[in-house]
Amino acid sequence: MSLFSLKHLKEGVSGREVLSWAAFDFANSGYTTVVLTAVFNAYFVSVICEEASWATLLWTTVIAVSNILAIVSMPLIGAASDLKANKKFWTVLMSLICIAGTVGLAFTGTGTIVWAVLMVIVSNFAYNVGETLNSAFLPEIADDRSIGKVSGWGWSFGYCGGLLTLGLSLGVVLAMQSKGFTAEDYVPYTMLITAVIFFIAALPLALWLKERAVPRTQSSFWSLVKESQASLIKTFKSLPAHRNFAWLVASGLFFQGGIAVVVTLAAVYADQAMGFTPDETILLVLLVNITAAIGAFAFGYVEDRIGHKNALIVTLFIWIAMVGVAYFAQTKALFWVAANLAGIAMGSSQSAGRALVGVLAPEKDRAAFYSFWNMALWVANIIGPMTYGLITWVTGNDQRLALLCTGMFFVVGLIFLLPMKLSKTKENFQKNIFRKSKRFIQKI
C-alpha cells in the first residue's frame, strides 16, 4: 500500500477499504472497455444489425435510452441513499444487474436486435447508477487535500481492470480467429469474461468498504420516496447559491459529450473510417488503456499541485488536440497518436471532474450533488453520441465530419469552465503547494 498512502485518507479509513473502493473502478471498467468501447459496439453495428445504414444511429439511440432511464431514476436513488445512508446497498445491487445484463449479451447474434437492445439498456443503466454511488464514497474516504490523488488512484486502477478484461478478450479473439471462427462465435465469450471479472473485482467493495454516512430517517419506503423528492427539490433550488458547481456542471455537460463519443464510438470510427480489423481495434484500445491509466494516476498528483480546475483545463486542451490529429489522420500510425492523446486526457479529465464535485458539494448532500453531476454527464452521454449518429446518418456515414463536430463539445466545455472559482482557502492551499514544489525544483 505504498502508493495508496494512508496519509491521504481520512482518519479511520484503512488501506484495505480504499483499495476495495478503487477495485470497483477496476471491476466496472472492463464493462465500459469491452462492451461500450472496443468490442460490442462494433459487433452491434456490423453483425447484429448487419451493417445497415441506420446501425450507428440505433447504437447511439440505445445508449441514449439507457442514460435517460438513469437520469430519471438516479436523483431519487441518490437522495434516498443520502437519507438512509445505504449507498453500498445500491452499488452492490446495480453491480449485480449490470453483470446479469452483460451475461445476456453473450446470447446475441445476427438479427437478435431486440434482445441486444434490451440487454445493453439494462446493463448500461445499472453501470451508470453504480458508478455514481461509488463516486459518492470519495469524499468519505479521502482527505480533503488529497481528493485528486485518491480519485486518480480509482481511475488508474480502473484502467487496469479494463486492460485485464480486454487483454483476455483479445487472447480469445486471436485464438478463435486462427481457427477460422467469426465474430459471432467469439464475441459471446468476451461478454462472459467481462461479467466474471466484474463480479470478482466488485466483491471487495461488498465485503470491506464501510458506509460512514449517518442515516437521516427511519421512514417507511413510501415516506422515503416522498422525502427523497423533497430533498431533490431542495437541492435543485439551492443550486443558484452554488454558482461554481453550476459552472462545473455546465462544463461537464459539454466535455463529457465529447468523451462519450470517444467511449461509445471509437471502435466504430476505427472500423468505418480507418479500416481497422477487430483484433487491431482491440489492441489499439488495450494500449490506450495503458496510457489512460498512467494519465489518470499522474494527473491525480498534478491536480493537487496546480489545482483541480487548472488540471481539467489542461486535459480539455489535450482533447481538442486529439480531435484535430484524428480528423486529419490518413494513416493508422497517425490515428494511433490521436488515440493515445485521448488516453492521456480521458482518465485525467473524468478524475478531475469527480474530484471537483467532492470539493464543491456540501458535506451533508454529497450523494445528491454527485447525482446532479452524473445527471449532467448522462445528458451529455445522450447528446454527444446522438449528435455523432445523426451526422453520420444525414451525411451518408461521414465519420470524419462527425468527429470534427465532436471537437466543439470540448471547446464549449472549456469556455464554461473558465468562470468557475474555488474557495479562497482551497486556492491558497493549492498555490502554497505549487510554490513549494517550484522552490524544490529550483533547488535541484
Side-chain angles (χ1 to χ4, degrees), residues 145-210:
R145 298 182 177 185
S146 300
I147 285 181
K149 293 185 184 69
V150 179
S151 181
W153 294 348
W155 280 109
S156 59
F157 195 39
Y159 282 113
C160 293
L163 282 170
L164 174 63
T165 308
L166 195 58
L168 292 175
S169 298
L170 178 60
V172 169
V173 170
L174 292 176
M176 296 188 72
Q177 275 185 343
S178 66
K179 296 180 180 179
F181 290 101
T182 65
E184 197 164 2
D185 298 312
Y186 55 70
V187 167
Y189 287 101
T190 67
M191 297 299 102
L192 295 177
I193 290 171
T194 302
V196 170
I197 293 177
F198 197 146
F199 178 79
I200 295 173
L203 281 176
L205 179 141
L207 295 174
W208 296 316
L209 184 62
K210 296 179 181 178

Side-chain angles (χ1 to χ4, degrees), residues 248-270:
L248 176 63
V249 171
S251 175
L253 179 64
F254 283 93
F255 76 70
Q256 180 61 31
I259 294 174
V261 170
V262 176
V263 170
T264 59
L265 295 159
V268 175
Y269 186 88

Side-chain angles (χ1 to χ4, degrees), residues 23-34:
F24 187 81
D25 277 335
F26 184 101
N28 64 22
S29 287
Y31 171 81
T32 58
T33 303
V34 175

Side-chain angles (χ1 to χ4, degrees), residues 29 32-33 36-38 127 151-152 155-156 158-159 255-267 284-285 288-297 299 303 311-312 314-320 322 338-354 373 377 410:
S29 287
T32 58
T33 303
L36 301 182
T37 304
Y127 160 78
S151 181
W155 280 109
S156 59
Y159 282 113
F255 76 70
Q256 180 61 31
I259 294 174
V261 170
V262 176
V263 170
T264 59
L265 295 159
L284 174 71
V285 177
V288 166
N289 267 265
I290 297 175
T291 307
I294 295 172
F297 188 87
F299 263 82
E303 285 173 47
L312 185 53
V314 170
T315 65
L316 293 182
F317 275 113
I318 296 174
W319 275 117
I320 294 169
M322 180 280 297
N340 280 282
L341 285 173
I344 292 172
M346 187 175 297
S348 53
S349 57
Q350 294 179 96
S351 175
R354 179 166 69 176
W373 167 248
L377 300 192
F410 298 115

Side-chain angles (χ1 to χ4, degrees), residues 97-394:
I97 294 174
C98 184
I99 291 167
T102 306
V103 171
L105 294 176
F107 298 94
T108 58
T110 302
T112 60
I113 297 176
V114 175
W115 177 254
V117 165
L118 178 63
M119 290 298 101
V120 171
I121 290 174
V122 168
S123 60
N124 195 45
F125 161 77
Y127 160 78
N128 282 330
V129 176
E131 175 63 22
T132 302
L133 293 168
N134 185 59
S135 296
F137 278 104
L138 176 60
E140 294 182 9
I141 63 176
D143 181 83
D144 292 340
R145 298 182 177 185
S146 300
I147 285 181
K149 293 185 184 69
V150 179
S151 181
W153 294 348
W155 280 109
S156 59
F157 195 39
Y159 282 113
C160 293
L163 282 170
L164 174 63
T165 308
L166 195 58
L168 292 175
S169 298
L170 178 60
V172 169
V173 170
L174 292 176
M176 296 188 72
Q177 275 185 343
S178 66
K179 296 180 180 179
F181 290 101
T182 65
E184 197 164 2
D185 298 312
Y186 55 70
V187 167
Y189 287 101
T190 67
M191 297 299 102
L192 295 177
I193 290 171
T194 302
V196 170
I197 293 177
F198 197 146
F199 178 79
I200 295 173
L203 281 176
L205 179 141
L207 295 174
W208 296 316
L209 184 62
K210 296 179 181 178
E211 184 85 53
R212 287 177 168 78
V214 179
R216 293 192 230 164
T217 181
Q218 297 298 325
S219 304
S220 66
F221 174 77
W222 292 113
S223 296
L224 181 60
V225 170
K226 293 180 181 179
E227 290 182 56
S228 299
Q229 292 173 332
S231 176
L232 274 177
I233 293 172
K234 180 181 177 181
T235 302
F236 180 76
K237 289 181 178 179
S238 72
L239 287 180
H242 300 278
R243 189 175 304 171
N244 292 314
F245 180 72
W247 284 119
L248 176 63
V249 171
S251 175
L253 179 64
F254 283 93
F255 76 70
Q256 180 61 31
I259 294 174
V261 170
V262 176
V263 170
T264 59
L265 295 159
V268 175
Y269 186 88
D271 174 43
Q272 300 288 316
M274 302 303 303
F276 275 61
T277 61
D279 54 314
E280 287 177 328
T281 300
I282 293 176
L283 181 60
L284 174 71
V285 177
L286 183 70
L287 296 180
V288 166
N289 267 265
I290 297 175
T291 307
I294 295 172
F297 188 87
F299 263 82
Y301 289 83
V302 172
E303 285 173 47
D304 291 327
R305 282 170 170 75
I306 69 173
H308 304 298
K309 174 186 172 181
N310 293 333
L312 185 53
I313 288 173
V314 170
T315 65
L316 293 182
F317 275 113
I318 296 174
W319 275 117
I320 294 169
M322 180 280 297
V323 172
V325 174
Y327 175 75
F328 290 106
Q330 297 296 327
T331 64
K332 292 182 179 179
L334 191 56
F335 186 71
W336 272 83
V337 173
N340 280 282
L341 285 173
I344 292 172
M346 187 175 297
S348 53
S349 57
Q350 294 179 96
S351 175
R354 179 166 69 176
L356 275 168
V357 176
V359 171
L360 296 171
E363 183 176 353
K364 66 184 180 65
D365 294 316
R366 277 170 174 161
F369 270 68
Y370 268 107
S371 295
F372 275 103
W373 167 248
N374 282 279
M375 185 167 61
L377 300 192
W378 294 329
V379 172
N381 290 343
I382 296 170
I383 295 173
M386 283 297 293
T387 300
Y388 188 100
L390 286 169
I391 292 173
T392 59
W393 182 50
V394 170

Side-chain angles (χ1 to χ4, degrees), residues 77 87-99 126 130:
I77 295 173
K87 297 186 297 296
K88 181 175 175 178
F89 165 79
W90 285 102
T91 304
V92 172
L93 175 62
M94 291 300 154
S95 298
L96 293 175
I97 294 174
C98 184
I99 291 167

